[in-house]
Amino acid sequence: IGKMPQMNQKQTLQVLREAKESWDGGSGLWPQMSITDRIAAIQNFVQQLNSQRSNIINLLMWEVGKNQNDAAAEFDRTMNFIQALIAQIQQNPSHWQTIGSVRAYVRRAAIGIILALGPYNYPLNETYATLIPALLMGNIVIMKIPTIGGLSHLLTMDAFSKALPPGTIHFVSGGGRATMPPLMQSGDIDGLAFIGGSRAADDLIRKHPHPHRLKLFLQLEAKNMAVFLPSVFKAEHTALLDTSLDESIVGSLSFNGQRCTALKIFFVPRDSAATFVDKFVQKVDSLFVGLPWETDENGGVPTVTPLPNMKRVNYMKELIEDAVSKGAKIMNKDGGKIIGGSDSTLMVPAVLYPVTKECKLYYEEQFGPVIPIVPYDDIDSCIEYGRDGEYGQQVAIFTSDENSDTASGLLDKFSTVFGKININNQCGRSPDSLPFSGRRSSALGVMSVSEALREFSVPTVVSYKNRGTNAEIVGKIEASSTFMKNL
């Protein structure tokens, strides 16, 4: 469906030289441009990109396997996020403040050259959630195009070239091992926006000769847990259980579970485990499994679509085989089966029960359509899993009011473990106005409309003592300053 240039080290370093020229120690055209003019340029970019909406949606379907609804939602959410960023800047202008005898003006300014690496699962939305805030704040950006999911960015290049000054954004494509180390080793990268695996992030950071100077924004792995409390399974809470199961299905299998925010392990009371598994499997077996562009007789799109490559398929098989060898069973019909022949990557979701501490699936992030269910006898085992785990992004607690005390205890314990605690709903990033954070090996930095702008900027203070003719002098300076120009 397309080709992607494979750049070598020499070409990558040439990109860096051009980025340095554009930054020019902070004196380049883009960092010195007024915030009003930068906003106008980004708005022009949005207008250009909207003309490519249908083409980008098709590429997201063809290349990464998103169904049409999810691909369209990714594009539209990205455009809405950009507009929200602009509104955030416009609605919160910088202003003078008086503190004792000091008058001070605070405005955030660029960091420098930002290296942005986005993921394959949300190549547009996740990447632009870091890239656009960085640009709005005046940074020069080098974007590493993901190996999978990169073709959509070939369409965005044209929009960028029409909307932004030359040298504002740069693209690097090809293998990450060949292209990324030279950039970091140069010491000229001022900020790293990385969405991916923690091991790769650590490797990159270690290659920077001055890591204390490197501004980091990392969104990494997660092993988000769902905890079902006993009262959910009582006869009088049938509707609550059904709603909770629906949330669990979407939470674990939307886009095949290939989301950092997906529910990746379920803890259910042992006495109710059989009920949960039976009802969960019924819902899994009813899912539409197919190619992204297919529709059923009612016009519905598939929930489960192909994985991006055979490497992901083999990892799913490895986790399934390991769990089965240690006592778990595949509970749903055709769970783990590949549809479409030996070269296909379309996998039927696999529900595994009982998963125990001996299984890889208990600890490792599957990032795919494999659902581990763990029976528990004591709520302390759930607390222990969250407390002692490697990750700390989100948790979902499903409860009725009868277990509100237990749920409250979980919330208090998990408030220092996870970035978000969901009550009776799946994990997720939205709404984008809320902080999206994490602890441990899940994140460093906060993503939201307001926080993203802060992550890629530094507050710069202009101040003077309010005496003599200082106010008049500063007033004249302000009148001709681009940095202090009003929106």
Side-chain angles (χ1 to χ4, degrees), residues 238 241 245 249 274-284:
T238 301
L241 177 58
L245 285 164
I249 290 293
T275 299
F276 178 86
V277 171
D278 180 63
K279 291 181 177 294
F280 191 88
V281 164
Q282 289 180 39
K283 290 182 179 291
V284 170

Side-chain angles (χ1 to χ4, degrees), residues 72-207:
E74 177 172 355
F75 182 91
D76 293 340
R77 183 181 182 183
T78 304
M79 297 301 100
N80 292 336
F81 187 83
I82 296 172
Q83 296 296 354
L85 288 168
I86 292 171
Q88 177 71 23
I89 296 171
Q90 292 173 331
Q91 293 166 12
N92 295 276
S94 300
H95 59 273
W96 286 98
Q97 53 187 295
T98 302
I99 306 170
S101 63
V102 174
R103 290 275 288 163
Y105 176 94
V106 183
R107 172 167 280 175
R108 303 192 74 88
I111 296 168
I113 299 174
I114 305 296
L115 176 61
L117 291 87
Y120 79 83
N121 59 328
Y122 285 86
L124 195 70
N125 182 257
E126 294 284 354
T127 306
Y128 283 61
T130 61
L131 184 152
I132 297 298
L135 288 173
L136 282 168
M137 291 292 95
N139 298 283
I140 300 299
V141 174
I142 299 175
M143 178 191 159
K144 168 61 173 69
I145 298 175
T147 302
I148 301 171
L151 292 179
S152 59
H153 294 294
L154 296 182
L155 298 179
T156 69
M157 287 181 187
D158 184 56
F160 275 124
S161 68
K162 291 177 180 178
L164 305 187
T168 302
I169 184 168
H170 307 257
F171 295 90
V172 172
S173 62
R177 292 181 180 179
T179 56
M180 293 299 96
L183 293 177
M184 296 299 285
Q185 290 165 349
S186 71
D188 294 319
I189 300 299
D190 300 299
L192 175 65
F194 182 93
I195 302 175
S198 55
R199 184 176 301 176
D202 288 341
D203 287 344
L204 276 178
I205 294 166
R206 279 194 289 264
K207 287 179 170 57

Side-chain angles (χ1 to χ4, degrees), residues 354-394:
V355 170
T356 63
K357 294 180 179 180
E358 289 71 34
C359 303
K360 291 181 181 180
L361 194 52
Y362 189 81
Y363 304 99
E364 296 183 18
E365 182 192 36
Q366 63 270 42
F367 214 73
V370 179
I371 302 100
I373 300 174
V374 180
Y376 71 85
D377 299 302
D378 189 318
I379 198 65
D380 286 343
S381 63
C382 301
I383 295 172
E384 178 185 336
Y385 183 87
R387 183 194 64 205
D388 299 340
E390 184 176 354
Y391 306 112
Q393 191 197 81
Q394 296 192 31

Side-chain angles (χ1 to χ4, degrees), residues 124-364:
L124 195 70
N125 182 257
E126 294 284 354
T127 306
Y128 283 61
T130 61
L131 184 152
I132 297 298
L135 288 173
L136 282 168
M137 291 292 95
N139 298 283
I140 300 299
V141 174
I142 299 175
M143 178 191 159
K144 168 61 173 69
I145 298 175
T147 302
I148 301 171
L151 292 179
S152 59
H153 294 294
L154 296 182
L155 298 179
T156 69
M157 287 181 187
D158 184 56
F160 275 124
S161 68
K162 291 177 180 178
L164 305 187
T168 302
I169 184 168
H170 307 257
F171 295 90
V172 172
S173 62
R177 292 181 180 179
T179 56
M180 293 299 96
L183 293 177
M184 296 299 285
Q185 290 165 349
S186 71
D188 294 319
I189 300 299
D190 300 299
L192 175 65
F194 182 93
I195 302 175
S198 55
R199 184 176 301 176
D202 288 341
D203 287 344
L204 276 178
I205 294 166
R206 279 194 289 264
K207 287 179 170 57
H208 199 288
H210 310 292
H212 63 277
R213 289 179 49 185
L214 187 64
K215 172 69 173 176
L216 296 174
F217 178 85
L218 311 175
Q219 293 290 336
L220 308 169
E221 304 103 319
K223 188 72 173 179
N224 295 334
M225 58 190 295
V227 181
F228 277 72
L229 297 184
S231 63
V232 176
F233 297 93
K234 289 190 174 183
E236 60 267 32
H237 297 311
T238 301
L240 173 61
L241 177 58
D242 194 56
T243 301
S244 299
L245 285 164
D246 288 339
E247 288 284 333
S248 298
I249 290 293
V250 175
S252 59
L253 287 174
S254 176
F255 190 38
N256 314 318
Q258 296 175 113
R259 301 175 296 119
C260 67
T261 57
L263 291 171
K264 299 190 174 93
I265 189 165
F266 289 82
F267 288 81
V268 297
R270 190 178 299 276
D271 292 345
S272 303
T275 299
F276 178 86
V277 171
D278 180 63
K279 291 181 177 294
F280 191 88
V281 164
Q282 289 180 39
K283 290 182 179 291
V284 170
D285 286 342
S286 70
L287 296 176
F288 180 10
V289 180
L291 299 177
W293 46 86
E294 292 181 334
T295 55
D296 60 19
E297 61 274 12
N298 299 316
V301 297
T303 299
V304 181
T305 54
L307 297 171
N309 54 34
M310 197 58 68
K311 181 180 179 181
R312 298 302 306 165
V313 172
N314 291 337
Y315 182 55
M316 296 304 109
K317 289 180 177 179
E318 176 186 325
L319 292 175
I320 293 170
E321 290 169 2
D322 174 76
V324 169
S325 72
K326 293 168 182 173
K329 295 181 179 179
I330 300 174
M331 305 303 293
N332 59 310
K333 181 182 178 182
D334 297 327
K337 178 182 177 181
I338 303 299
I339 300 174
S342 59
D343 294 330
S344 174
T345 62
L346 180 57
M347 173 179 278
V348 176
V351 180
L352 291 157
Y353 174 83
V355 170
T356 63
K357 294 180 179 180
E358 289 71 34
C359 303
K360 291 181 181 180
L361 194 52
Y362 189 81
Y363 304 99
E364 296 183 18

